[in-house]
Amino acid sequence: MKTTLSLLALASAFGTAAHAEDKTLTISVYSFAQDEYKEALYDPFEAICGCDLVVETGNSVERMAKIEANAADPVIDMAVISTQDALALARKGLIQPLDGAKLSNFDKLYDSAKDPIGDHMAVGYTFYASSIVYRSDLVDIQSWGDLLGEDLAGQVALPNITTTQGPLTLMMLGKAEGVEGDLSPVISEIGAHSDDIVTFFSRSSELVQLMNQQEVIAAPVGRFAWGSFRDAGLPFAWAEPEEGQAGGMNVMVMTKGNGNEELAYQFMDYWLSTEVQTKIGEMLIDSPANKEVELSAEAAENLTYGADVIESLNIMPAAEVLDKREGWVEQWNAEVIQ
């Protein structure tokens, strides 16, 4: 998306149209809900800054590859990604530290969102819980361990290990089995039950179809996908397992040496504002990282919202995912995907 303001507006804001036309911010974001983001965030920001906002979308692999390929002369100014992807970029020297003093809304963030990957390389803008969505008329879920139980054999789906939900599911299955730290026994357990699992999905959209067709009646899901089940017209429920909910955070990063830091900070700060985070929350797009946001009861019910919920999430450190992912994938391919 590229939106150009009128000549009159540009001239009024910056004196000359030519000057204003030079103000362009290029951001890299997830593909979902772009129409809603345009209404709640992009268009209002352009009106405030008198600039052009160029929005690039794609999957995480594609977007990270573009940042790395253009490291010498960045074409992306800021991006929103997962904590583990942010840490991967940081380790390659592709992003720069953020100065919280340049974000007027920094102190409004939950503490865990202020420096989620260390060295001030990112700030969190949204949290998400992960639990189990299930057909409440067909099964009752009390524990993450129920996913591998006899009652769900042949009717359960699990996320692929390479997805964001994959390691979180391993972590919570480990908690249910009393396994902490080393997840290799959990992968072996999944391998032993692989014939009981309908599919190892990579996208929540795949899961929605399977559950609507009743081929799957329970599966781990991120809260951001809950709306697809809530509105399906079937008795889907969100489990509250005895081990708790898993969780994660998406973050903002700024590419190193992009030369557009001032405008990037302005956009990030606007996104983190109470006004915008409230608007995005009420539209059920993202859960707020700004602790001053007050949502309606309906919105709160459908999001990962409130200090009690956020502080109770079981969040896997980004460094653990990065450092152990290769070994997990290797074992997964050997024991699960045979």
Side-chain angles (χ1 to χ4, degrees):
M1 181 197 81
K2 182 175 181 179
T3 305
T4 305
L5 296 180
S6 69
L7 182 62
L8 178 61
L10 291 173
S12 173
F14 296 99
T16 67
H19 182 158
E21 200 169 317
D22 290 338
K23 292 191 63 173
T24 299
L25 182 71
T26 302
I27 65 173
S28 176
V29 301
Y30 294 105
S31 300
F32 80 99
Q34 285 305 294
D35 288 342
E36 291 83 356
Y37 270 119
K38 184 177 186 299
E39 176 186 344
L41 176 63
Y42 305 154
D43 286 354
F45 178 73
E46 286 181 321
I48 290 170
C49 74
C51 61
D52 290 340
L53 191 63
V54 178
V55 181
E56 298 196 2
T57 63
N59 64 43
S60 296
V61 174
E62 295 167 344
R63 297 193 296 121
M64 291 176 68
K66 184 166 186 177
I67 290 173
E68 185 169 3
N70 295 278
D73 187 17
V75 295
I76 302 294
D77 298 315
M78 68 82 64
V80 293
I81 50 180
S82 68
T83 52
Q84 57 261 39
D85 288 343
L87 184 57
L89 293 178
R91 288 180 174 181
K92 293 179 179 180
L94 298 173
I95 58 178
Q96 59 180 295
L98 299 176
D99 184 356
K102 295 183 178 179
L103 298 169
S104 66
N105 293 294
F106 183 79
D107 289 338
K108 298 178 183 179
L109 300 176
Y110 288 102
D111 288 344
S112 56
K114 292 178 179 177
D115 187 20
I117 64 171
D119 298 322
H120 305 287
M121 301 300 274
V123 293
Y125 71 95
T126 187
F127 290 89
Y128 59 86
S130 292
S131 188
I132 301 165
V133 168
Y134 65 100
R135 280 284 298 269
S136 60
D137 59 327
L138 301 175
V139 67
D140 182 35
I141 300 294
Q142 297 294 328
S143 166
W144 284 85
D146 293 342
L147 292 170
L148 300 181
E150 292 183 3
D151 290 347
L152 286 178
Q155 301 179 92
V156 65
L158 295 180
N160 197 301
I161 186 62
T162 57
T163 67
T164 301
Q165 298 299 314
L168 295 178
T169 299
L170 293 183
M171 176 180 67
M172 299 311 295
L173 282 171
K175 282 184 173 293
E177 296 176 7
V179 176
E180 298 286 345
D182 181 12
L183 296 179
S184 57
V186 182
I187 297 176
S188 296
E189 183 73 7
I190 292 173
H193 288 85
S194 60
D195 290 342
D196 297 332
I197 298 166
V198 175
T199 188
F200 296 99
F201 60 93
S202 295
R203 295 181 177 85
S204 59
S205 56
E206 303 171 31
L207 186 61
V208 171
Q209 183 175 356
L210 289 171
M211 295 192 75
N212 282 337
Q213 295 169 347
Q214 204 172 311
E215 295 180 48
V216 171
I217 63 172
V221 173
R223 190 68 175 180
F224 49 80
W226 167 240
S228 299
F229 299 95
R230 180 197 64 227
D231 300 333
L234 293 171
F236 290 119
W238 181 266
E240 297 186 6
E242 60 190 38
E243 301 85 9
Q245 299 182 90
M249 183 191 320
N250 289 335
V251 299
M252 300 175 174
V253 298
M254 193 183 303
T255 54
K256 186 176 181 179
N258 64 66
N260 208 9
E261 287 82 0
E262 182 178 351
L263 193 55
Y265 273 120
Q266 186 181 353
F267 177 69
M268 294 165 70
D269 198 36
Y270 183 64
W271 195 336
L272 296 173
S273 69
T274 305
E275 174 191 358
V276 172
Q277 292 249 310
T278 300
K279 189 184 301 183
I280 288 173
E282 289 293 343
M283 295 173 76
L284 304 182
I285 303 172
D286 268 331
S287 301
N290 182 323
K291 61 189 177 185
E292 292 189 358
V293 169
E294 295 185 5
L295 296 179
S296 66
E298 179 183 359
E301 174 67 21
N302 288 286
L303 297 174
T304 304
Y305 171 71
D308 290 346
V309 172
I310 288 170
E311 291 169 5
S312 70
L313 296 177
N314 293 280
I315 297 178
M316 181 176 287
E320 182 175 353
V321 178
L322 279 187
D323 295 340
K324 297 181 179 180
R325 183 164 50 191
E326 185 175 342
W328 292 338
V329 171
E330 183 178 346
Q331 183 186 357
W332 183 274
N333 290 338
E335 299 184 20
V336 179
I337 309 298
Q338 303 177 34

